[in-house]
Amino acid sequence: MPEKSFLILKSNLTASDIKQLTSQWDLDSAIFANLFSQLDHINQKLNAVKRKIDYLDSVARETTKTKELKKVTDLTRELVYLKHTLDDQTESLRSFGEYLKKNQLASSADIASLMTKQAQLTKMIHVYTDLLNSISGLFTAMLDSHLNHLVKYLNSVALIIAIPTLISGIWGMNIGGLPDRTNKNGFWIIITIAAILTIIWAIILKKKKYND
């Protein structure tokens, strides 16, 4: 049997288990069964990853919290490890399958089933990686959207405040010729005018959805 068939794969067999195997057929059968067990374990791991992806996809539409972004990064790293493990394992499985088939230690159907399961898991990892990339992009887009909204809102507030600031600045000049400068109600007149103009300007911005 090619040595590389065992380089990537981890076996659950203990030393005592191997000693109890009475023939090469027993050993190969045990390894073959153990490979199915390993793939089932990876499949369960990927199912857990899928649940995490669904969760992150839902929260990505509502929040941009740093802890959720960290979860995306951690999950992406986990998928990268699984992806490289399966990619490296594929060639070993193919060599092992050819060995079993050549020596008639396993049926072609069982070998095909093993390789199909391996291919399905590899495909799932690629799909989940793409999903995580899209979620990461969604987080980035949401962050940009929130930042743009904040800047737009602050600009709207600045425009609204600019009107009373301009009016008070003009009437606060220490020069002659300003209307109603000697009027005892001049202060309240200026405040009223500034308030009315500010409200009108705020309504205009609201209708234009400038602060949405």
Side-chain angles (χ1 to χ4, degrees), residues 65-102:
K65 292 182 179 179
T66 304
K67 66 177 183 179
E68 305 302 341
L69 287 172
K70 289 181 179 179
K71 289 180 181 179
V72 172
T73 303
D74 293 340
L75 199 55
T76 301
R77 184 170 60 249
E78 186 176 340
L79 276 178
V80 168
Y81 290 145
L82 287 174
K83 176 180 179 296
H84 284 284
T85 298
L86 283 179
D87 287 345
D88 293 340
Q89 183 172 285
T90 299
E91 182 60 30
S92 296
L93 278 179
R94 186 177 293 109
S95 298
F96 184 59
E98 291 174 355
Y99 166 81
L100 293 177
K101 186 176 181 180
K102 179 180 179 181

Side-chain angles (χ1 to χ4, degrees), residues 21-185:
L21 299 174
T22 57
S23 67
Q24 181 66 31
W25 188 90
D26 290 334
L27 178 60
D28 293 332
S29 298
I31 294 175
F32 190 74
N34 191 59
L35 290 177
F36 269 107
S37 176
Q38 292 291 329
L39 293 179
D40 285 337
H41 176 72
I42 294 176
N43 187 46
Q44 293 174 6
K45 186 69 175 177
L46 288 177
N47 288 335
V49 168
K50 180 60 168 61
R51 289 192 292 270
K52 293 179 182 178
I53 290 176
D54 291 339
Y55 165 76
L56 290 173
D57 181 61
S58 62
V59 299
R61 305 171 190 275
E62 301 174 359
T63 183
T64 54
K65 292 182 179 179
T66 304
K67 66 177 183 179
E68 305 302 341
L69 287 172
K70 289 181 179 179
K71 289 180 181 179
V72 172
T73 303
D74 293 340
L75 199 55
T76 301
R77 184 170 60 249
E78 186 176 340
L79 276 178
V80 168
Y81 290 145
L82 287 174
K83 176 180 179 296
H84 284 284
T85 298
L86 283 179
D87 287 345
D88 293 340
Q89 183 172 285
T90 299
E91 182 60 30
S92 296
L93 278 179
R94 186 177 293 109
S95 298
F96 184 59
E98 291 174 355
Y99 166 81
L100 293 177
K101 186 176 181 180
K102 179 180 179 181
N103 293 275
Q104 297 182 347
L105 298 174
S107 66
S108 298
D110 288 340
I111 296 173
S113 176
L114 181 66
M115 297 306 300
T116 299
K117 195 174 187 66
Q118 166 82 7
Q120 289 174 343
L121 293 178
T122 302
K123 180 65 176 178
M124 287 173 62
I125 287 181
H126 285 285
V127 171
Y128 292 168
T129 301
D130 290 341
L131 287 175
L132 269 181
N133 289 336
S134 67
I135 292 174
S136 179
L138 179 58
F139 268 110
T140 302
M142 290 292 289
L143 282 171
D144 292 341
S145 176
H146 286 192
L147 180 60
N148 290 337
H149 184 274
L150 177 61
V151 172
K152 194 175 181 181
Y153 178 79
L154 293 176
N155 286 338
S156 299
V157 173
L159 287 173
I160 293 173
I161 295 177
I163 293 178
T165 301
L166 177 63
I167 294 175
S168 62
I170 293 175
W171 262 267
M173 294 179 182
N174 293 320
I175 58 175
L178 291 175
D180 290 330
R181 189 173 181 83
T182 58
N183 191 325
K184 63 179 182 179
N185 296 319

Side-chain angles (χ1 to χ4, degrees), residues 1-9 91-93 95:
M1 181 187 302
E3 291 294 332
K4 63 180 179 180
S5 298
F6 300 100
L7 291 179
I8 305 299
L9 303 173
E91 182 60 30
S92 296
L93 278 179
S95 298

Side-chain angles (χ1 to χ4, degrees), residues 13-21:
L13 297 174
T14 63
S16 59
D17 292 331
I18 295 177
K19 289 180 180 179
Q20 293 176 2
L21 299 174

